[in-house]
């Protein structure tokens, strides 16, 4: 029994490493990228704003799975340049997640900006702050605070979305669970996988709860 | 000595003309109470002085320097310098919610590098004592009452040593029992000869503290007089009507 346990749990935990790695790469890159997109959307240079809007509309309006399939299997089929667009599966998946999640984070941050009262800008102006000082000292800290619950939510979704790696054949948690299910004709690995996902999302939830408490400003 | 000189100021929001050829001037150490029905343009006029509203025509001079001359604004740097002579207190306080009371006071002077850090901290301490909020130094605005918030806002405006302090309905967002503590701070400032323009609905304050009452209606200054004359012997029908409604 213990032996069987070892046989399926260890590969799954190894798969979970892949999940965690993808999570960190995606979140570390897509949050700043999302923020840049927010700035682009808010830009007074209209073509940039339209471009960013279009990008967000497409990325949010189509399934992540479709985007992943396109990057992993579609891009190499593009005539002429296709051969330069063959990525390692994991790298391709990272790109897909980053591009997709950046669009979501951009919308979250935009919402955070909208929540900031116009009086904050006025107060900063009459106190003689420059535009840059107003942005970095007054607006951004409040924007991130307002966005925190939504960022938390999106991060938890990201953990679960990593299961989509299964579809592009990157060996992650779900992949090892499915292998064990097929091989041993038992549903136990599904439950183990579920528990591992649950542990990861719980840790994340607690982490964000702490952040929210810390930045409660009360 | 004239500190503010406004002539033929015009301002419209779309087709709605909110300020029609306003002219007035104000001396150093004077306290003006600006009253009038809502929509009369008094807040817009106040906000124009500190460049929170762009005017469409006329001139504004602060301390003998132009902010706008015949409808043309001076250069950005000069705008900043001229408006920097004024401080502003808002109806909704506009404190920075992510900063403590102390940080709210110290941020601007520190960023603008107007004094050494130690001096700024001492100044903040003095001002908090003055508005009676020494013990709230480390609190965030969300834990303060409206009256306390407005007193912090006044202290924050004073941190930059303005020559003129503008108040835009400073007690209108407060529960009636909290207006007293804010008006007291303003009264103290008036006694220290601070130059102030106060847009207000507080007739008591206008009567007791102001040197001059300016009554606005429909985008015009209808009547201006010292408080005694203004309240006991109003000249215009519009003033009489307004006072009838507001003095009970």
């Amino acid at each position: 029994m213990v032996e069987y346990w070892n046989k399926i749990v260890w590969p799954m935990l190894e798969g979970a490493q892949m999940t965690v790695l993808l999570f960190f790469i995606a979140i570390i890159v897509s949050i700043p990228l999302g923020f840049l997109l927010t700035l682009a959307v808010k830009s007074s240079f209209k073509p940039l704003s339209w471009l960013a809007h279009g990008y967000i509309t497409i990325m949010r309006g189509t399934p992540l799975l479709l985007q992943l399939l396109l990057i992993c299997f579609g891009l190499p089929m593009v005539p002429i340049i296709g051969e330069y667009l063959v990525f390692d599966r994991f790298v391709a998946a990272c790109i897909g997640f980053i591009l997709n999640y950046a669009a979501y984070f951009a919308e979250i941050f935009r919402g955070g900006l909208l929540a900031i009262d116009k009086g904050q800008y006025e107060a900063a102006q009459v106190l003689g702050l420059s535009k840059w000082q107003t942005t970095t000292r007054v607006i951004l800290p409040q924007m991130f605070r307002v966005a925190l619950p939504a960022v938390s939510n999106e991060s938890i979704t990201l953990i679960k979305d990593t299961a989509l790696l299964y579809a592009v054949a990157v060996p992650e948690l779900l992949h090892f669970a499915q292998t064990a299910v097929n091989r041993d004709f038992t549903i136990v690995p599904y439950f183990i996988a579920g528990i591992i996902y649950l542990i990861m999302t719980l840790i994340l939830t607690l982490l964000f709860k702490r952040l929210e408490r810390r930045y409660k400003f009360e | 000595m004239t500190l503010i000189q406004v002539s033929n100021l015009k301002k419209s929001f779309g087709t709605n003309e909110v300020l029609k050829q306003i002219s007035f001037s104000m001396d150093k150490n004077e306290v003006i109470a600006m009253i009038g029905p809502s929509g009369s343009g008094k807040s817009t006029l106040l906000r124009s002085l500190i460049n929170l509203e762009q005017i469409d025509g006329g001139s504004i001079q602060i301390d003998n320097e132009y902010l706008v001359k015949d409808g043309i604004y001076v250069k950005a740097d000069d705008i900043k310098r001229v408006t920097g002579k004024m401080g502003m207190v808002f109806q909704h306080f506009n404190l920075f919610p992510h900063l403590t009371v102390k940080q709210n006071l110290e941020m601007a002077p520190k960023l603008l590098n107007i004094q050494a850090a130690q001096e700024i901290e001492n100044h903040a301490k003095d001002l908090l004592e003055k508005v009676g909020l020494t013990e709230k130094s480390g609190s965030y605005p969300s834990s303060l009452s409206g009256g306390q918030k407005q007193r912090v806002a006044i202290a924050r405006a004073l941190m930059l040593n303005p020559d003129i302090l503008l108040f835009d309905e400073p007690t209108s967002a407060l529960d009636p029992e909290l207006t007293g503590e804010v008006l007291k701070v303003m009264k103290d400032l008036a006694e220290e000869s601070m130059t102030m323009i106060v847009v207000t609905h507080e007739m008591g304050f206008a009567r007791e503290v102001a040197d001059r009452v300016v009554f606005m209606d429909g985008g015009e200054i209808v009547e201006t007089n010292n408080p005694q004359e203004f309240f006991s012997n109003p000249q215009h029908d519009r003033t009489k009507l307004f006072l009838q409604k507001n003095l009970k």
Side-chain angles (χ1 to χ4, degrees), chain B residues 39-204:
Chain B
S40 60
K42 53 196 193 308
S43 281
T44 308
L45 174 58
L46 192 79
R47 290 164 56 80
S48 300
L49 295 177
I50 197 160
N51 197 34
L52 288 174
E53 302 287 353
Q54 286 252 317
I55 65 168
D56 302 321
S59 305
I60 299 175
Q61 263 178 293
I62 309 292
D63 196 12
N64 293 319
E65 284 193 82
Y66 279 104
L67 171 65
V68 198
K69 189 178 182 184
D70 300 326
I72 308 208
Y73 276 84
V74 296
K75 291 197 303 267
D77 286 352
D78 293 330
I79 290 179
K80 204 162 183 188
R81 190 167 39 82
V82 172
T83 54
K85 295 175 182 185
M86 291 171 281
M88 172 107 175
V89 175
F90 298 90
Q91 179 178 356
H92 296 289
F93 331 122
N94 298 353
L95 293 177
F96 302 128
H98 61 299
L99 301 178
T100 63
V101 166
K102 184 174 182 294
Q103 290 168 333
N104 261 280
L105 264 64
E106 292 173 358
M107 181 172 75
K110 281 186 174 167
L111 287 177
L112 302 179
N113 250 324
I114 55 167
Q115 282 164 315
Q118 187 58 48
E119 274 178 73
I120 292 169
E121 277 164 36
N122 290 339
H123 194 191
K125 213 178 278 173
D126 292 345
L127 285 174
L128 281 182
E129 195 184 327
K130 181 182 177 132
V131 300
L133 289 171
T134 303
E135 76 284 3
K136 296 290 182 187
S137 176
S139 306
Y140 284 98
S142 63
S143 66
L144 304 181
S145 72
Q148 290 171 333
K149 282 182 197 169
Q150 196 58 297
R151 285 186 281 153
V152 173
I154 293 171
R156 183 177 69 174
L158 289 171
M159 282 298 290
L160 297 168
N161 301 312
D163 297 329
I164 306 162
L165 212 45
L166 310 177
F167 293 82
D168 190 5
E169 307 203 16
T171 57
S172 297
L174 301 178
D175 292 335
E177 71 268 25
L178 298 176
T179 57
E181 59 190 74
V182 173
L183 293 173
K184 160 112 184 18
V185 170
M186 293 165 63
K187 204 170 163 181
D188 290 348
L189 285 171
E191 275 162 17
E192 291 164 26
S193 306
M194 186 73 188
T195 310
M196 313 197 303
I197 304 183
V198 185
V199 169
T200 185
H201 295 288
E202 292 283 335
M203 296 302 149

Side-chain angles (χ1 to χ4, degrees), chain A residues 144-162:
Chain A
F144 283 118
R145 178 60 189 89
V146 174
L148 205 50
V151 170
S152 160
N153 211 12
E154 205 55 38
S155 305
I156 287 166
T157 307
L158 173 57
I159 289 265
K160 293 179 295 175
D161 272 358
T162 57

Side-chain angles (χ1 to χ4, degrees), chain A residues 13 17 37 54 63 105 151 182 201 216:
Chain A
L13 284 177
Q17 277 182 14
L37 270 172
F105 283 122
V151 170
N182 289 343
T201 53
K216 213 162 148 196

